[in-house]
Amino acid sequence: MQWLTLISTVVGAAIATGSAMLLDRQRGKRERLDREAQARRILYGDYLATLSEARHACGNMPRDPDIAPSTPRTTAREAFGPCIGLRCQMTISGPDRVGKPRRSRSAACVTSATA
């Protein structure tokens, strides 16, 4: 009769330990996914804000009639420069479909980069 009590205690302890480990693993996975989603949300917000600022800077150029011919190119480079670093961060931390360029765009980028 004592062996039966000991075996039941060991089996109960194993079930309790296993379920605690499973729940802890699920909670850890959920917390990790929440942290990753929050980091992506912040990164996407920063990228959109930077794009908006760049668009605003470039949108004001046509309103100036006394602008030199080289100024729009310089202004565009300066305005969209910060976007490049954020775009690279999005490629690294975003899902696969974010980093995957379109076929037509990727061919144009590769051609212009090698020329």
Side-chain angles (χ1 to χ4, degrees):
M1 188 62 117
Q2 282 200 338
W3 283 105
L4 185 61
T5 306
L6 182 61
I7 291 173
S8 342
T9 304
V10 169
V11 169
I15 290 172
T17 303
S19 66
M21 288 173 49
L22 181 64
L23 289 174
D24 190 42
R25 182 178 174 199
Q26 288 176 344
R27 184 178 62 239
K29 184 178 179 181
R30 184 176 52 246
E31 288 174 355
R32 180 180 54 84
L33 291 175
D34 288 344
R35 282 192 309 270
E36 288 174 359
Q38 181 65 21
R40 279 195 307 268
R41 225 177 269 119
I42 291 169
L43 179 60
Y44 294 164
D46 290 346
Y47 183 65
L48 289 174
T50 305
L51 281 177
S52 176
E53 290 172 10
R55 181 180 175 272
H56 181 70
C58 291
N60 288 335
M61 282 189 297
R63 295 187 184 113
D64 188 4
D66 301 326
I67 196 165
S70 63
T71 305
R73 180 177 289 173
T74 305
T75 303
R77 275 197 193 124
E78 290 172 358
F80 284 98
C83 298
I84 295 170
L86 289 171
R87 187 178 65 195
C88 291
Q89 288 179 13
M90 285 178 28
T91 302
I92 292 169
S93 65
D96 291 337
R97 68 179 183 270
V98 170
K100 190 176 187 182
R102 286 183 178 163
R103 183 85 173 144
S104 61
R105 290 273 185 179
S106 101
C109 289
V110 169
T111 305
S112 65
T114 58

